[in-house]
Amino acid sequence: MFRTNYYSLVAGLKEYALDGENKGFDAAAIVAEILDGVTASDARQVRLLYAYYDCENLAALRAGRAAFNPLGNFTREELETELKAPQRLPEVLATVVRAFADPEGEDAETVDTSVRFETALFDAYYRLCERRGCDFLRAWADFDRTLRNVAAAVTARAMGRAVEEVTVGGGDVVDQLQRSSAADFGLRGELPYIDGVIAAVNEEGNLIEKEHKIDAIRWNQAAELAQFDYFDLDAILSYLVRVNIVARWTQLDAARGRAMFDRLMAELDGRRLITEMNE
């Protein structure tokens, strides 16, 4: 399949990652710049990546929580409107919203409203990535869902809760998480990062440290999935996943956010990219 290469865009990522006046990190500005520089079809893939945060925000709004992630595609006001009568959400997400708003309605026939709204919404999101995502986004969504399911399953087991209450979606890994009594859920041979997730959840009492270790797994996976992509959409999406991690840690822990930012900038060295591409 033909792919557009964004040589100038990728080369400029390092420059506009820094705000000129404050030398601060502005993830939203980076996303906006990328959306302006890619084709319409590739922009849809970028927005699909960020629809994850729309799901987070929809779940928070419906539950009455104040938390709101500005990296989503919609403002708080727009999502409040969508919760009442979805018009702009991807149809698969809109179907979930309508089904939970009217459990006796037609949409509820295709949505399992016996689970939590958040579970149904993220299940729909990951299925949407599987159907409409590019190579990177399909692989990333599969990894991200699995990673979150493993972390949730380990936590549920430690708290004596049923694993099926916290996992999203189905498939062999979810079945294994729900049925296995093994310490590693019998998945060590299938998921190379499972020991790291289990250790982070079980052995780390400090929530910040735990999240840092799990985000390190995310970071490495994002880089690995685009290891041989240099200037195409997959490279940009891999970069954006890491931008999102930096943005999160800039808020949680300024020192660690800065360290992650420095690592991201090092990985964006254009001369290194060109050298690797020509090897």
Side-chain angles (χ1 to χ4, degrees):
M1 184 177 72
F2 175 78
R3 297 187 181 194
T4 302
N5 283 312
Y6 300 101
Y7 299 106
S8 297
L9 180 61
V10 172
L13 293 178
K14 190 169 184 177
E15 297 176 8
Y16 62 72
L18 285 172
D19 177 89
E21 181 178 349
N22 299 315
K23 299 298 180 186
F25 189 76
D26 189 343
I30 293 172
V31 177
E33 192 80 24
I34 287 174
L35 285 171
D36 189 54
V38 300
T39 66
S41 61
D42 286 351
R44 286 192 289 271
Q45 295 294 315
V46 173
R47 292 190 180 95
L48 182 54
L49 173 67
Y50 284 92
Y52 179 90
Y53 299 113
D54 292 328
C55 293
E56 272 192 348
N57 291 335
L58 282 166
L61 285 171
R62 192 174 187 275
R65 299 193 297 267
F68 188 87
N69 193 321
L71 287 179
N73 296 301
F74 298 96
T75 66
R76 183 192 300 271
E77 292 72 22
E78 288 170 336
L79 286 183
E80 287 173 347
T81 299
E82 290 296 298
L83 274 177
K84 297 173 184 175
Q87 299 291 329
R88 299 170 58 192
L89 288 171
E91 181 56 27
V92 66
L93 303 182
T95 298
V96 173
V97 171
R98 290 193 296 265
F100 276 80
D102 181 12
E104 303 300 324
E106 182 178 344
D107 289 297
E109 295 177 6
T110 61
V111 175
D112 183 5
T113 55
S114 68
V115 301
R116 295 184 305 149
F117 172 75
E118 186 172 0
T119 299
L121 193 63
F122 278 108
D123 182 31
Y125 170 73
Y126 288 123
R127 285 188 283 109
L128 180 62
C129 290
E130 181 181 351
R131 292 201 303 266
R132 297 189 183 176
C134 60
D135 290 346
F136 176 88
L137 197 49
R138 287 197 303 271
W140 175 256
D142 180 65
F143 160 78
D144 188 62
R145 181 174 74 97
T146 300
L147 177 67
R148 293 178 189 277
N149 278 339
V150 169
V154 174
T155 302
R157 176 184 279 179
M159 298 176 63
R161 292 182 58 191
V163 172
E164 55 265 27
E165 294 179 1
V166 298
T167 49
V168 173
D172 293 341
V173 172
V174 170
D175 289 343
Q176 195 77 0
L177 290 172
Q178 293 178 356
R179 291 191 287 205
S180 176
S181 59
D184 64 350
F185 299 92
L187 292 169
R188 182 169 287 114
E190 187 171 349
L191 303 177
Y193 52 83
I194 191 167
D195 285 338
V197 178
I198 292 173
V201 175
N202 282 340
E203 299 174 14
E204 188 54 71
N206 185 309
L207 180 61
I208 295 295
E209 292 294 334
K210 180 184 78 171
E211 291 297 317
H212 188 259
K213 290 177 180 178
I214 292 177
D215 271 349
I217 295 171
R218 285 195 178 91
W219 183 291
N220 292 335
Q221 184 70 11
E224 183 177 328
L225 287 175
Q227 182 178 0
F228 301 108
D229 298 290
Y230 300 102
F231 297 100
D232 62 5
L233 177 64
D234 285 355
I236 289 172
L237 290 171
S238 170
Y239 165 74
L240 285 174
V241 167
R242 286 171 283 169
V243 162
N244 300 341
I245 294 173
V246 172
R248 181 170 183 246
W249 282 94
T250 299
Q251 298 295 319
L252 288 175
D253 185 319
R256 280 185 175 153
R258 182 68 210 188
M260 286 182 170
F261 175 80
D262 290 342
R263 178 180 175 185
L264 181 60
M265 292 301 97
E267 292 176 1
L268 276 180
D269 190 315
R271 287 171 298 179
R272 178 184 63 80
L273 288 175
I274 293 171
T275 299
E276 291 180 355
M277 185 179 67
N278 292 325
E279 285 180 351

